[in-house]
Amino acid sequence: MTAVGEALRRCRAEGRAALVGYLPACFPDVERGIANLQALLDGGVDILEIGLPYSDPVLDGPVIARAADVALRAGSTTAAVLRTLEAVAASGAAAVIMTYWNPVEQYGVDRFAAAVAAAGGSGLVTPDLLPDEAEAWLAASDAHGLDRIFLVAPSSTDERIALTVRFCRGFVYAASVMGVTGVRERASVQAPELVARVRRYTSLPVGVGLGVGTAEQAAEVAQYADAVIVGSAFVRCVFDAGDDAPAALRKLAADLAAGVRRMPATG
């Protein structure tokens, strides 16, 4: 079992959902990016999702796309992303890389998988890769013992969900809304039904991402999902706080961590 699997198992034993925090690597530069990820852990994030900055981020909304642009201008490379992963994993963090598929192919699929494993990572989230087109990644992830986290969405048919979860390992990423990343005023009304549909086909944990940015939203999603994934709210926090980003990230992470630990109302 990977470190991510262990973290999910531990959270389930505690009777709560896991909090997954996303930030792009090298944002705003390599060293401050590592410090920001460490701040998420210090605030109570259970699992890190480290983004590989990419120039054509089709799933990312304007906040994360802007952060990726900052990281690329600061000199982000695949090597720097792997260095970031190694630094946070060395501190005991459970971490995965979120990456579009083209950089992995350019680097070499097996070479990339080997590097992620060597750096202490647990696997990849691949938003633009379909499992039935992922033969090379399926082989590489098996060879190096990595989790492979594919996405399902409210528009996914039952047949597509069944096929996708069959190839997932670690957890299933349920995109709570259609469209790109970004905080929404209200939690998705489609997400509970999507999670219920996913559970018909797998016993893997289900993480819900896109649109969560407050403790109240985290608490709501934690009532029906195994993991609450937060990205844009953390990225915006870095933009807003500037040099004070680590302290601001710790506070926001602590608020969200309290949300996933909130007991459901009774009566």
Side-chain angles (χ1 to χ4, degrees):
M1 182 180 289
T2 65
V4 162
E6 289 287 354
L8 289 163
R9 184 197 57 76
R10 183 175 63 252
C11 292
R12 180 172 283 182
E14 294 174 3
R16 65 175 177 88
L19 177 60
V20 181
Y22 166 93
L23 279 175
C26 313
F27 169 58
D29 56 41
V30 176
E31 296 307 326
R32 286 185 290 175
I34 292 171
N36 288 339
L37 288 162
Q38 186 60 52
L40 295 187
L41 296 170
D42 294 343
V45 161
D46 299 293
I47 297 168
L48 291 176
E49 188 183 334
I50 303 170
L52 192 154
Y54 184 53
S55 58
D56 187 23
V58 295
L59 180 68
D60 296 342
V63 173
I64 292 180
R66 182 181 161 209
D69 185 60
V70 169
L72 290 167
R73 290 175 185 275
S76 172
T77 62
T78 300
V81 174
L82 292 167
R83 177 184 156 199
T84 297
L85 172 63
E86 184 173 24
V88 296
S91 72
V96 293
I97 296 287
M98 197 292 279
T99 179
Y100 295 96
W101 191 241
N102 188 53
V104 179
E105 284 196 315
Q106 292 297 317
Y107 195 85
V109 177
D110 190 75
R111 180 186 173 209
F112 191 88
V116 168
S122 290
L124 304 184
V125 179
T126 50
D128 62 346
L129 181 67
L130 297 174
D132 37 340
E133 298 176 355
E135 184 176 351
W137 168 228
L138 298 180
S141 55
D142 283 343
H144 298 284
L146 295 173
D147 291 336
R148 44 191 188 232
I149 300 144
F150 296 107
L151 275 68
V152 296
S155 61
S156 300
T157 64
D158 283 0
E159 290 75 15
R160 172 54 57 180
I161 289 174
L163 185 149
T164 300
V165 302
R166 184 154 56 90
F167 291 103
C168 280
R169 195 157 54 211
F171 67 93
V172 181
Y173 191 124
S176 66
V177 294
M178 301 303 295
V180 298
T181 61
V183 174
R184 268 70 171 180
E185 290 186 1
R186 297 179 180 176
S188 167
V189 297
Q190 299 172 300
E193 180 183 354
L194 175 60
V195 171
R197 292 170 63 207
V198 171
R199 293 199 196 283
R200 292 176 198 159
Y201 300 102
T202 184
S203 59
L204 280 173
V206 185
V208 169
L210 275 67
V212 177
T214 68
E216 289 70 27
Q217 291 171 332
E220 183 178 341
V221 174
Q223 302 309 308
Y224 60 84
D226 301 293
V228 181
I229 305 166
V230 179
S232 293
F234 286 134
V235 173
R236 182 176 295 166
C237 182
V238 175
F239 278 124
D240 291 346
D243 291 341
D244 297 325
L249 286 168
R250 276 193 293 275
K251 182 178 185 309
L252 178 56
D255 289 344
L256 292 161
V260 301
R261 288 168 171 77
R262 194 175 298 172
M263 298 298 292
T266 59

